[in-house]
Amino acid sequence: MTIGSALSFKPAPEWLKTAAFYQIYPQSFKDTDGDGIGDINGIISKLDYLKWLGIDAIWLNPCFESSYQDAGYDVTDFYRVAKRYGTNGDLKRLFKEAHKRKMRVCLDLVAGHTSIDHPWFKASQAATRNELSDRYIWTNDSTVKPVKHVSGKFERNGTYRKNFFDCQPALNYGFGKPEPDQPWQLPVTAEGPQKTRKELIKIMDFWMTMGCDGFRVDMAPSLIKNDPDRVETNKLWAEIRNHFQQRFPEGILIAEWGNPARAIKAGFMMDFIIHLGNDGYSSLFFNKEGTYRHDTCYFNIEGNGTPTTFVNYYLEQLKNVGDSGYVCVPTANHDFQRPNCGTRNTEAQLRTVTTFLMTIPGVPLFYYGDEIGMKFTPGLPNKEGSQLTKGNRAGSRTPMQWDSSPKAGFSTADLDKFYLPIDSSTYRPNVESEMANPSSLLHFNRYLLQLRKQYPALGTHGAIHFLYAEANKYPLVYERSANGQRFVIVINPSGKSVQVYCPLSGTIKEFKPVLVDRASLIQVNNKLQIKADAVSYGIFRVIE
Ligand code: GLC
């Protein structure tokens, strides 16, 4: 097996080329058993809706037995669906029902850690050596507490390494470069780390054999500790990808890495450009009122942001990834604010966000509820570890709004039993009303997904060329093209109307409006004149 080069992998399955994703936070999607928490049968009952929207694949946040100190990212049994969501049989039925509709379901694989309540951890902390003593990373002295180590009342003499919260002990995949004077740091080739690796593969095989279509891997780059240049981490994922593709040629591997070029080199097929690793995403969307707070961002009404941080990072990522995998710039996720947040709260503003996200290269992803414009709710209590030092994630995890009834069609439970309070705004968007209204945001977003399928130039693979992406300036203008088709897209999220010029060679017969609201393009000599009113957008087909 060769490693380190993306070229050594079999290509990702074809279906990923045209797929649109939807992320479901199971707690908050649809409750069918009346306990106020969403469940798998609820997801099954909404598959037809997702199909109608144009969704091809679902990523489901963790649905396994857990202590819920981090909303399911603290697993206590990797082989069992949590009771509150249903049974393994229900999940199997979800796979089947999705496949019937030509849709796929990817699970969340928390590969790097477990809950402190996992039986493996209980065995691992025992004083006498056993099969699981090396399943986690322990020092050999309870007075030794390197960074990210946690001490406590354990039978064995040591402190353990955590990955995120203290209750999430890191599984032991070994150290890339163990320090010679720290014998507790095992090399990746040691028996303990190798057994952890085998167990991870076993978990993946278990769900894939049941009908799962792939995984989003939580904190994917973090498995191997002290690993300069991630040499051993890359080898680990390369081994997993090769095994995985041999057994499940249609299966996909998505990273939570925050650096697609690196993730794809390691063996993943897709990775997100999000708040991790670089400011690109945050500089577009993080305003003063969300989970993470920034004074300026490009998509705000004040018009005081800059597009260049994102554009530079994004272009570099696209170039480095090439044809060997996919980037994904999602509308949001369970860790940070939604597009509807603070002063970015009108339908017109939300349309600028999705017009942008659905017309750039990469795999499109709607976080549940963003298709109807659900809002990030500030000021919620800490729910299952939603509170971080920097902000609260609960605001993006509120129940899905299905209809205009008092309980929004989410659950029949009493409102005080709801996983999180439902948006209490007088007008809160909901699926039923928006479906009935052809000019709603929901129909608009559905149409954007249709355009991507209709015109490859607007899709995952078409080329992008930024025509106007100036520091601290509006609007953002770019050209998309494929197979001789060309489109120009104008996005002005600011509250100011703007007029700019950029060079444009060749003679254009017409800029045919495809989906436009108060933006225009004309060719003046060898220049393109772009006018965009406050909070406007336009997708224009270039007719030569
Ligand atoms: C990832 C998840 C986040 C979780 C953390 C620890 O970043 O997206 O929700 O808290 O990993 O598992």
Side-chain angles (χ1 to χ4, degrees), residues 43-52 55-56 93-104:
I43 300 171
I44 296 174
S45 74
K46 295 299 182 186
L47 285 175
D48 287 333
Y49 161 69
L50 296 179
K51 185 74 193 175
W52 172 85
I55 299 303
D56 306 287
R93 207 160 60 83
L94 171 61
F95 297 146
K96 233 171 106 189
E97 290 297 322
H99 295 163
K100 259 196 216 161
R101 292 163 176 82
K102 301 209 168 9
M103 293 162 81
R104 327 244 171 183

Side-chain angles (χ1 to χ4, degrees), residues 23 25 59 61-62 70-74 108 110 113 163-165 168 216-219 256 274-276 333-335 385 388 393 397:
Q23 182 190 342
Y25 187 71
W59 150 32
N61 283 103
D70 187 9
Y73 285 95
D74 48 331
D108 209 312
V110 192
H113 48 270
N163 260 359
F164 196 66
F165 291 141
Q168 290 162 310
R216 172 266 190 191
V217 181
D218 188 60
M219 293 180 66
E256 184 206 32
I274 42 173
H275 61 311
L276 304 169
N333 80 20
H334 60 293
D335 288 331
L388 303 175
R393 303 176 284 181
R397 299 175 176 184

